[in-house]
Amino acid sequence: MQYNPGWNNSSVNLLHVRAVGPGDTLHYIWSSIGAPTVLLVATASRSSTLCVNWTQLLSPAPAGAIWIDPPSSVVYSAAVVFTKVFEYSEAKTLEELFYPTYDLSDFSWDSVNHTLNHTALTAEFTGIPATDPSGSFSNGSLAFRVTAYEASGRDGPLPSLLHTANSSKVEFVLAGVVPRGNSSRFVLELATVEETGVVQKLRSTRSIDDEYTPTIFEMLSLVAKSQNDSSTLSFLQWKATAYGSQTPRREDGIQCRSRGLQAANWSLPMSSIVHAYFGEGVGSTYTISAINISFGGEDGKVYQEKRYLSWSVLLGFGQPPKDTFSPLVISIMAVALGTPMVMLLVGSCVVLFAQRKRCSEYEPIN
């Protein structure tokens, strides 16, 4: 993990996470320059490096300021941009009342260097609006907590996402932010940038196994697939839940919904590192898709109680991890289904044996 490689000023944040495999390298470039963004770049070289022209990156025309050396080693690149947070409440007429939008490209972000943990491979981007007329962020903040992984495993805290070494996690956190309505709900908008020939698919998978995430039976995945060979290139994966506590329990669950995947016809903020890497072709040479993730129960009052909201999403390369039935669930199913079968077989044997014994007590008439 490298913070602002080649730059000594901490007024901006750029975090480079580099994972080296047997014959390739995965690059995650996180930044709060403009809207919070992560670039995902996979290369076919163990020695590929990130290069940054800081003067150009911080200029009004950042195109070409970020690249991977050697450029020929890049086999896939994409980006995820966290663009806006909406707040709304439902009026008595069941109409949605939207408050002024929080544009994340206009936030002021703390230095990530203070939260960087090279042992745990974690970092935190914490910010507040540059202007806050309503005073909602006077004692609150918005954060993106980043976690990298060296091996496969499962997170301890809920929602206990299963991960691999090819993935990272980001946790979206609202803490202490005062709602502007009595029953406010929040919506996080995120956008993906993909090369031509790559399409995004939103999938929903349901399972009866909720051992690791109690009462949550749905897993959602946003996968990038190549149109040529239908192979999965990258993914975002999350459970259909958020939580209203720093130490989440089942009763702290907050309903989480995905409001469809749409082709975005708007441009990303010019200061985003997306333009620095992909150039001016974003929106023409590259395709932009957007999805909204909403948080809140039917009454919208879950956030009101603790003023805390956290939502975790896994992102990475290749196929998203697949949960299988745990040994505990398999054992329960075996007992639940096997016990009636055993009883049926034993009962049938007893009946047959009793019938044979009763018939043997009589002599044939003829």
Side-chain angles (χ1 to χ4, degrees):
M1 301 180 76
Q2 297 174 294
Y3 175 70
N4 287 354
W7 185 256
N8 294 325
N9 196 326
S10 61
S11 61
V12 294
N13 292 315
L14 190 146
L15 177 65
H16 177 216
V17 181
R18 183 169 175 263
V20 181
D24 56 3
T25 304
L26 305 179
H27 297 269
Y28 298 87
I29 301 103
W30 302 84
S31 178
S32 60
I33 301 174
T37 304
V38 55
L39 297 175
L40 295 90
V41 184
T43 69
S45 169
R46 285 176 49 87
S47 58
S48 60
T49 58
L50 172 69
C51 301
V52 182
N53 184 328
W54 283 97
T55 303
Q56 187 177 354
L57 176 63
L58 301 178
S59 71
I66 296 177
W67 70 96
I68 298 294
D69 188 42
S72 59
S73 65
V74 177
V75 294
Y76 172 73
S77 56
V80 178
V81 187
F82 300 94
T83 53
K84 299 174 183 177
V85 172
F86 301 98
E87 182 183 350
Y88 73 96
S89 60
E90 285 189 355
K92 294 182 179 179
T93 58
L94 297 181
E95 294 182 356
E96 294 178 346
L97 172 64
F98 278 84
Y99 299 96
T101 303
Y102 293 119
D103 191 334
L104 299 185
S105 63
D106 294 331
F107 271 47
S108 175
W109 301 92
D110 295 340
S111 173
V112 173
N113 198 33
H114 301 315
T115 64
L116 191 59
N117 188 324
H118 289 274
T119 303
L121 300 178
T122 58
E124 183 171 332
F125 295 80
T126 305
I128 60 174
T131 58
D132 185 21
S134 65
S136 296
F137 279 80
S138 57
N139 293 311
S141 63
L142 181 151
F144 292 94
R145 296 174 181 167
V146 176
T147 303
Y149 300 109
E150 291 182 313
S152 299
R154 185 183 297 275
D155 277 351
L158 293 175
S160 303
L161 293 174
L162 183 67
H163 61 78
T164 68
N166 292 341
S167 60
S168 295
K169 184 186 75 171
V170 58
E171 183 181 2
F172 167 67
V173 178
L174 276 179
V177 178
V178 179
R180 290 172 285 184
N182 293 328
S183 57
S184 286
R185 306 177 191 181
F186 293 94
V187 179
L188 174 64
E189 178 186 76
L190 60 90
T192 61
V193 180
E194 295 288 350
E195 301 171 344
T196 304
V198 178
V199 294
Q200 291 278 359
K201 298 288 185 181
L202 181 62
R203 298 174 176 173
S204 174
T205 305
R206 294 183 178 273
S207 172
I208 63 172
D209 187 355
D210 70 335
E211 178 187 357
Y212 299 107
T213 313
T215 73
I216 306 301
F217 302 94
E218 184 180 14
M219 175 79 81
L220 294 109
S221 300
L222 184 62
V223 297
K225 297 181 71 69
S226 173
Q227 289 180 321
N228 298 330
D229 54 8
S230 298
S231 60
T232 302
L233 303 173
S234 66
F235 66 88
L236 277 78
Q237 186 182 60
W238 65 95
K239 286 277 192 177
T241 185
Y243 291 96
S245 173
Q246 295 185 24
T247 55
R249 298 171 297 175
R250 179 181 60 83
E251 53 268 28
D252 299 319
I254 297 176
Q255 193 174 41
C256 171
R257 293 178 177 175
S258 303
R259 298 193 168 189
L261 179 67
Q262 299 180 2
N265 55 4
W266 38 261
S267 60
L268 297 172
M270 285 302 295
S271 58
S272 172
I273 62 169
V274 168
H275 290 87
Y277 181 81
F278 292 103
E280 302 299 337
V282 177
S284 56
T285 306
Y286 301 92
T287 58
I288 304 175
S289 301
I291 187 172
N292 288 344
I293 311 295
S294 64
F295 312 100
E298 295 298 330
D299 56 0
K301 295 182 180 180
V302 179
Y303 178 79
Q304 301 278 355
E305 299 177 2
K306 297 185 178 180
R307 301 281 174 86
Y308 190 88
L309 167 68
S310 69
W311 173 69
S312 299
V313 57
L314 197 70
L315 53 89
F317 300 87
Q319 291 280 357
K322 290 185 178 181
D323 258 323
T324 57
F325 286 113
S326 65
L328 175 62
V329 173
I330 293 175
S331 301
I332 293 174
M333 293 175 63
V335 171
L337 298 176
T339 301
M341 293 297 297
V342 171
M343 293 178 65
L344 181 62
L345 290 173
V346 171
S348 300
C349 292
V350 170
V351 171
L352 290 174
F353 179 78
Q355 286 181 345
R356 286 185 177 182
K357 186 175 182 180
R358 188 165 53 247
C359 291
S360 64
E361 293 177 354
Y362 295 92
E363 295 293 334
I365 294 176
N366 296 322

